């Protein structure tokens, strides 16, 4: 294996604008143009650095409350403040040795983990 290409999270039909607000405006990720054959399915894709998040429409949508992507970031404290300033709650968790981390939920209820290695 050579790495991870993308993470996909489910969204309900018609939730693309909510995703654009959270993933684009709040997190500052760049929306990607989906290939035409896939664009007909709805959803949207975002990229920042080496991370791609694909948000795919699921008719019987239920948010992931436990399963989640673990997203490595720099400036974790600044990201937490940005999220809180935008009305997103963060829950800090210090139970992962060697990393600072917190959990948050996107605007659809999907759980997300953001973490940064502790610098010694």
């Amino acid at each position: 294996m050579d790495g991870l290409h993308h993470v996909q999270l489910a969204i309900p039909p018609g939730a693309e604008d909510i995703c654009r607000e959270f993933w684009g405006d709040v997190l500052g990720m760049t929306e990607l143009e989906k290939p035409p054959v896939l664009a007909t399915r709805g959803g949207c894709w975002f990229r920042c650095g080496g991370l791609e998040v694909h948000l795919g429409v699921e008719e019987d949508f239920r948010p992931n409350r436990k399963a989640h992507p673990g997203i490595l970031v720099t400036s974790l404290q600044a990201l937490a403040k940005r999220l809180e300033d935008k009305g997103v709650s963060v829950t800090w968790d210090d139970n992962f040795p060697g990393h600072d981390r917190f959990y948050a939920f996107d605007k659809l209820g999907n759980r997300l983990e953001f973490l940064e290695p502790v610098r010694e």
Side-chain angles (χ1 to χ4, degrees):
M1 287 184 239
D2 293 329
L4 187 64
H5 182 272
H6 68 273
V7 172
Q8 180 160 330
L9 296 173
I11 65 170
E16 289 84 357
D17 286 342
I18 294 169
C19 295
R20 288 182 179 103
E21 178 187 341
F22 183 80
W23 293 93
D25 298 340
V26 174
L27 291 179
M29 296 180 78
T30 301
E31 185 170 0
L32 303 173
E33 185 174 339
K34 291 180 68 172
V37 69
L38 298 177
T40 61
R41 300 178 187 175
C44 42
W45 295 357
F46 293 87
R47 177 185 295 145
C48 185
L51 173 67
E52 275 190 30
V53 176
H54 295 184
L55 303 160
V57 173
E58 189 170 291
E59 291 297 325
D60 186 24
F61 170 76
R62 279 182 246 134
N64 285 314
R65 309 294 291 169
K66 176 77 174 163
H68 60 273
I71 302 170
L72 283 171
V73 301
T74 55
S75 304
L76 187 67
Q77 292 284 341
L79 176 60
K81 181 176 180 351
R82 180 182 175 118
L83 287 170
E84 289 173 331
D85 287 350
K86 300 280 188 173
V88 178
S89 297
V90 302
T91 303
W92 290 92
D93 181 344
D94 61 358
N95 293 317
F96 194 70
H99 291 79
D100 291 326
R101 72 176 177 170
F102 66 79
Y103 293 98
F105 291 88
D106 71 10
K107 302 239 179 219
L108 299 169
N110 288 309
R111 185 181 193 201
L112 307 170
E113 177 183 354
F114 297 95
L115 60 161
E116 179 177 28
V118 173
R119 303 203 194 306
E120 309 245 354

